[in-house]
Amino acid sequence: MKSKSTGVRFWIGAILFLAAMLAATQVIRNEYPFFAGYIILQFVVLAVAWSILGGYAGYVNFGTSAFFGMGVYTAVFLVKATGAPLAVQIAAAAGVGALLGFAVGLLTLRMQGIFFSIATIALTIIIETTVTNWRFVGGAAGIQIQRPPVTPPFDTYVQMLFFVQALLVVLAVAIARYIQRSWIGRGLQAIKDDELAAECTGVPTLRLKLLACVISGALMCAAGAPAAMYFQYADPSSAFNLNYSVSALAMSLIGGTAHWAGPVLGAILLGVTQQFLAVTISSEVNVLILGIMLVLFVVAAPEGLIGLIRKIGNWRAGRAT
Amino acid sequence: MFSFDLLLGAIVLGTLLGCFYAAVSIGLSVSFGLLDVPHVAHPAFLVLASYGVYLLNDRYEVDPLLAGLLITPLFFLLGLFVYRLYHETFERRGTDAAVRGIAFFFGVAFIVEVLIVLQFGVDQRSVTASYIGRSWRIGDLRIPIRQLVAFAVALSLTILLTLYLSKTFMGRAIRAVAQDQEALRLMGANPVRVKQWAFGIATAVLGIAGALLIIVAPVEPMLDRAYIGRTFCVVVLAGLGSMTGTLIAGIILGVAESIVLTMFGASWAPAIAFAMLLGVLAVRPQGLLGRRL
């Protein structure tokens, strides 16, 4: 009974969120909030997608930038080759991401701990180098992209991208939430606790990890696709920047990985702080904050914000009785 | 296109470069190979050491190698501190230490990068010394003297560390703690103190390695990202914890990079270390001369 009512509440919340975002694009005339908001929403998708493999199964993926960059370049390729519309770019990116996730999973998921992490960094650099040497999509110098005319009801292209990214947020959270509550999530949790024991009790560990890698990869790629249109420019070293990997990981760990709300909270907290700091101080300090918050949370609050909130809740409950 | 002289040149320069790679990786071979610490911040500390050397060379005109030696004690202390922190927060608590440990060291690496940027800016920095900028000719081949200096120092550093680990009492204790921590505890030694000492040594070596890094080429704050691939490639290819393996693996990587550089151009070079690393992990995860994973 309880799970059904939370399900209804979740979807009402999601619809309210989308309605609010749509209303904002109609009411607010200033472009800037959408510029900043887009980046924050993008990080929410990346963090939620990261935590499907990294949080639930405990496989620390440093390849977020590989998937993100592939998303960007899938969009670039489609725009350049066929002039496909945005929806097609995102769908194609999700497909590419799923395939890449499958390939990466097959190659690396038998490794454990740091070897998996290092292997995912390795793949990122190899893919980046390949794209750098691919002339058609601009090579190392990058490529300019022309935005097509905007579709009503949106006034500007950035507002439309903002709303599209909001849709992706809802999609990513719904998928993460479903996984967390289904047998897939329980299986991944078992892998995180003790992979050998899980394997022995009949959990199909490799298949579950592959599934998680495919879903997480598809979402990360989809999140990257609109970035080509957002920046109107793409180049390998920024599309595949390691900062995306560390940000997604930091946001998930800061928020807490036990619940889908963790990465959302972490991404909003860190994303808003970064947007604020980038405007007021500089983008270097931005990265510094990322590093310091990551170290602080990993050392002092290993369960993340979600863990802290639960602890405070327990403490209150303990005092009340 | 293909010429034998070109290939020979690539192999010679690659071997010199490879010894240098071994020298910058040998600390990681101790900290990650022997102690199982997922030290992703190792290359960041390496670049930090280079900036320390740059500072001494730029302000007081100290010879880069001497400057490297001078900052070694500081890096030893840094190593002691970092290991203590890592041990207290991750190894002792035990729960998914690997996941959080990697995240922790990535955070540390980012902090180091940004502190360097804030202090020195994003421009490239280099050092001056009498042996930098000149080169030595053998037939058609030109070997920069700086490469030879780096080669000689790297080779002696690697040999010294190998001797230290196999001949001295403390060195043997370090290898013992890598093999069986419990046995060491039963003998009445404190494995944590031994590991802390070993981590200190591994970080101290970075003082010299950082000097070599800035002697070989100018450094910039984000250079550590390229060296994550190279150092981990060398350590894994060597076989975790094998010092001789580290030297051989470094030379293999150096020659491979230098051949690709001459044949296909510089734009493919960054992927070499990572491709080799992936290959080794997939085919022979115990490395060339290593213990089993």
Side-chain angles (χ1 to χ4, degrees):
Chain A
M1 264 331 271
K2 194 181 167 240
S3 75
K4 220 171 216 173
S5 75
T6 57
V8 172
R9 262 194 292 169
F10 171 77
W11 284 109
I12 291 176
I15 289 166
L16 281 179
F17 166 74
L18 284 180
M21 294 297 122
L22 188 62
T25 59
Q26 300 305 310
V27 176
I28 301 172
R29 288 280 148 251
N30 187 350
E31 277 267 270
Y32 178 71
F34 301 105
F35 258 108
Y38 171 87
I39 297 291
I40 295 169
L41 292 179
Q42 164 191 302
F43 274 122
V44 173
V45 180
L46 287 178
V48 169
W50 184 88
S51 78
I52 291 176
L53 183 67
Y56 298 160
Y59 272 71
V60 183
N61 180 1
F62 275 108
T64 308
S65 8
F67 290 101
F68 183 86
M70 276 306 268
V72 173
Y73 272 94
T74 307
V76 168
F77 178 78
L78 283 178
V79 169
K80 187 142 188 247
T82 64
L86 187 65
V88 176
Q89 294 166 29
I90 295 175
V96 169
L99 277 178
L100 184 66
F102 188 71
V104 168
L106 273 188
L107 198 63
T108 59
L109 278 171
R110 287 185 183 81
M111 305 170 193
Q112 288 181 355
I114 186 171
F115 293 101
F116 172 76
S117 307
I118 299 282
T120 51
I121 303 180
L123 280 169
T124 311
I125 306 288
I126 291 171
I127 294 174
E128 180 188 339
T129 312
T130 313
V131 172
T132 307
N133 283 287
W134 188 13
R135 287 286 160 74
F136 183 72
V137 291
I143 185 169
Q144 298 266 359
I145 299 149
Q146 211 71 48
R147 281 180 189 156
V150 64
T151 343
F154 302 101
D155 290 336
T156 67
Y157 211 84
V158 170
Q159 289 183 351
M160 183 168 93
L161 289 175
F162 173 79
F163 187 69
V164 166
Q165 201 63 262
L167 279 176
L168 284 175
V169 165
V170 170
L171 181 71
V173 169
I175 291 175
R177 182 173 171 276
Y178 169 77
I179 290 179
Q180 185 190 328
R181 298 155 68 95
S182 71
W183 63 276
I184 306 172
R186 287 194 293 275
L188 293 173
Q189 187 68 47
I191 292 172
K192 183 180 183 176
D193 289 340
D194 189 338
E195 186 155 351
L196 196 63
E199 180 82 52
C200 291
T201 45
V203 177
T205 51
L206 187 61
R207 253 188 288 169
L208 274 181
K209 286 189 288 183
L210 265 180
L211 183 65
C213 198
V214 166
I215 294 172
S216 143
L219 284 173
M220 286 171 182
C221 250
M229 284 293 166
Y230 176 83
F231 292 112
Q232 294 175 284
Y233 173 76
D235 76 291
S237 60
S238 44
F240 290 94
N241 198 316
L242 202 61
N243 287 8
Y244 288 113
S245 298
V246 179
S247 298
L249 160 126
M251 287 162 177
S252 303
L253 289 185
I254 286 169
T257 53
H259 192 275
W260 58 264
V264 177
L265 265 179
I268 292 174
L269 177 75
L270 209 57
V272 170
T273 320
Q274 285 189 327
Q275 285 301 316
F276 183 70
L277 286 178
V279 177
T280 51
I281 310 177
S282 76
S283 57
E284 270 86 40
V285 175
N286 227 333
V287 182
L288 184 65
I289 299 293
L290 179 70
I292 291 177
M293 294 251 274
L294 181 58
V295 169
L296 263 185
F297 268 86
V298 183
V299 170
E303 305 291 314
L305 286 173
I306 293 279
L308 283 183
I309 292 169
R310 277 192 191 149
K311 235 180 231 169
I312 293 169
N314 288 344
W315 180 71
R316 283 238 177 102
R319 243 179 33 156
T321 51
Chain B
M1 277 302 283
F2 182 86
S3 88
F4 186 71
D5 281 351
L6 221 57
L7 185 69
L8 191 72
I11 291 175
V12 171
L13 285 177
T15 311
L16 298 185
L17 187 66
C19 286
F20 160 70
Y21 284 160
V24 296
S25 312
I26 198 125
L28 189 67
S29 201
V30 173
S31 56
F32 177 56
L34 286 174
L35 309 178
D36 285 329
V37 178
H39 194 2
V40 204
H42 172 92
F45 286 173
L46 173 71
V47 175
L48 184 67
S50 291
Y51 274 90
V53 170
Y54 164 75
L55 198 68
L56 287 177
N57 182 262
D58 191 53
R59 291 267 169 83
Y60 310 105
E61 295 178 0
V62 183
D63 177 82
L65 284 172
L66 181 65
L69 208 57
L70 285 177
I71 59 171
T72 306
L74 286 178
F75 272 77
F76 182 71
L77 292 178
L78 176 71
L80 295 187
F81 172 73
V82 169
Y83 181 75
R84 185 47 72 171
L85 188 64
Y86 173 78
H87 175 75
E88 294 295 333
T89 42
F90 302 103
E91 284 188 338
R92 231 171 49 169
R93 284 193 210 153
T95 50
D96 51 351
V99 176
R100 296 188 195 292
I102 306 168
F104 169 76
F105 280 114
F106 252 106
V108 170
F110 266 49
I111 294 174
V112 171
E113 272 180 13
V114 178
L115 290 181
I116 295 175
V117 172
L118 290 179
Q119 186 64 39
F120 295 96
V122 291
D123 301 333
Q124 289 194 331
R125 303 285 168 169
S126 54
V127 286
T128 47
S130 56
Y131 44 84
I132 293 173
R134 285 191 293 171
S135 57
W136 187 40
R137 299 182 69 107
I138 317 169
D140 285 339
L141 194 61
R142 281 184 58 205
I143 301 174
I145 302 285
R146 55 166 76 186
Q147 293 277 9
L148 280 177
V149 170
F151 164 75
V153 175
L155 200 62
S156 12
L157 187 66
T158 314
I159 291 171
L160 274 179
L161 201 63
T162 314
L163 285 178
Y164 175 75
L165 285 176
S166 58
K167 301 287 181 214
T168 64
F169 180 76
M170 203 58 193
R172 286 182 184 173
I174 292 170
R175 293 207 315 186
V177 83
Q179 279 174 9
D180 194 337
Q181 192 166 329
E182 279 312 303
L184 203 73
R185 201 192 298 278
L186 293 174
M187 310 282 282
N190 182 350
V192 176
R193 299 256 314 258
V194 175
K195 285 168 103 172
Q196 192 179 10
W197 182 264
F199 202 91
I201 299 277
T203 315
V205 170
L206 282 177
I208 310 281
L212 296 182
L213 182 69
I214 199 167
I215 287 175
V216 166
V219 295
E220 43 115 5
M222 302 295 165
L223 190 65
D224 61 322
R225 298 189 178 184
Y227 276 86
I228 292 179
R230 293 197 177 121
T231 50
F232 274 89
C233 170
V234 169
V235 170
V236 173
L237 178 63
L240 292 182
S242 163
M243 299 299 132
T244 331
T246 305
L247 194 59
I248 299 172
I251 293 174
I252 294 178
L253 175 65
V255 171
E257 268 194 4
S258 140
I259 288 179
V260 169
L261 200 73
T262 19
M263 301 283 163
F264 302 98
S267 61
W268 284 102
I272 305 305
F274 282 107
M276 277 173 65
L277 175 61
L278 265 189
V280 175
L281 283 175
V283 178
R284 194 180 159 84
Q286 72 271 36
L288 290 173
L289 304 173
R291 59 191 171 110
R292 294 214 159 261
L293 294 179

